[in-house]
Amino acid sequence: AALALKWPNDLLLNGGKVSGILLEATGDLLCIGIGVNLIAAPLPEAVEPGALRPVSLKGETGLNIPPETFLDALASAYRELDEPALESALLAALLRRDPSRLDDLRRLAVLLKRADAGRVLLPALRAMAGTASVPGFDRAAGAALTEVGAHAEAARHYNLWAENEPKNGAAWTALGIALFESGDVVRARAVLVKASALTDNLRPVYTTLARIAAEQRDPDDALIWLRRLLPLLSEQELSALLMQPGFSNIPEVLYQLR
């Protein structure tokens, strides 16, 4: 098979058009799209007179390449070219087709944090709402959304994880922290108290409960959780925690701890 480029926007295979680039202006934006005839090509009568003969990859080579395989290869190519925004868009498309690609979801979160393109992740996950019955999906989605600071959206996925695994302390802990970070401190406290009875990893639970009490100016409650934290933290870690916002509201707690 012979590949050739017809400048500026057509890719030829055995003399026929197998792929092309389309530009479309929308307001101040210029949208760039590509089309590839993987399995089939438009019928000759559907093509404008004088246009190139349309061909498909399968028709010319016999190769049957699924769209997911092509998108995966294209995403890898953009990764090698260090194009995070383009790779992100392709990974989001792959996730809409197959929510079980949890590694892609984690990779997407890292890319979006780097590329400051969090708008790509949220629509991708919302498009899968109610259809992603994949083990581990809501946990991975919550972690990905946390990476880009979308704590309210993360809480929604962590809530589904906790509902599906009601005795999983890690799920309730993640939900409580996401609720706290999104500003729902009342519900966060209730969830974290529940988590404290279900998990052995108590440090993030007690830490967040102490922060909630400090922000609510409740020194007695803050002291309860801080005292439970003391055996779990070094002196430097405790000092760093007490420097966080909120603890200046309750100086009496700092005095009693010292």
Side-chain angles (χ1 to χ4, degrees), residues 192-239:
L192 288 166
V193 169
K194 180 173 183 174
S196 69
L198 294 171
T199 182
D200 293 328
N201 185 19
L202 291 167
R203 177 170 163 168
V205 177
Y206 293 163
T207 298
T208 310
L209 283 168
R211 292 180 63 194
I212 290 171
E215 291 198 5
Q216 293 185 320
R217 299 176 184 269
D218 188 338
D220 294 334
D221 197 39
L223 198 57
I224 289 171
W225 301 115
L226 286 170
R227 281 178 171 158
R228 293 185 184 183
L229 260 177
L230 285 177
L232 307 177
L233 299 179
S234 67
E235 186 175 338
Q236 292 82 1
E237 289 170 331
L238 179 62
S239 296

Side-chain angles (χ1 to χ4, degrees), residues 175-200:
L175 173 58
I177 292 172
L179 288 169
F180 170 68
E181 295 294 349
S182 65
D184 191 351
V185 293
V186 174
R187 188 173 169 220
R189 188 186 188 283
V191 167
L192 288 166
V193 169
K194 180 173 183 174
S196 69
L198 294 171
T199 182
D200 293 328

Side-chain angles (χ1 to χ4, degrees), residues 57-136:
L57 186 62
K58 183 178 180 180
E60 296 298 311
T61 67
L63 296 173
N64 189 359
I65 299 178
E68 292 81 5
T69 302
F70 175 77
L71 289 173
D72 204 12
L74 196 56
S76 297
Y78 282 133
R79 184 177 307 176
E80 291 182 9
L81 292 170
D82 195 26
E83 292 284 355
L86 295 172
E87 184 188 351
S88 298
L90 288 168
L91 291 176
L94 282 164
L95 281 164
R96 282 193 290 268
R97 288 175 169 268
D98 182 5
S100 68
R101 301 172 64 101
L102 300 186
D103 286 342
D104 285 346
L105 183 55
R106 297 182 187 100
R107 168 71 180 166
L108 182 58
V110 173
L111 282 171
L112 294 179
K113 190 174 183 181
R114 170 187 165 192
D116 192 25
R119 294 181 183 86
V120 178
L121 179 58
L122 295 180
L125 294 176
R126 286 170 181 158
M128 291 180 271
T131 64
S133 57
V134 177

Side-chain angles (χ1 to χ4, degrees), residues 242-257:
L242 296 178
M243 292 294 291
Q244 293 190 25
F247 286 100
S248 60
N249 297 331
I250 47 175
E252 61 270 37
V253 168
L254 307 185
Y255 176 78
Q256 289 186 56
L257 283 175

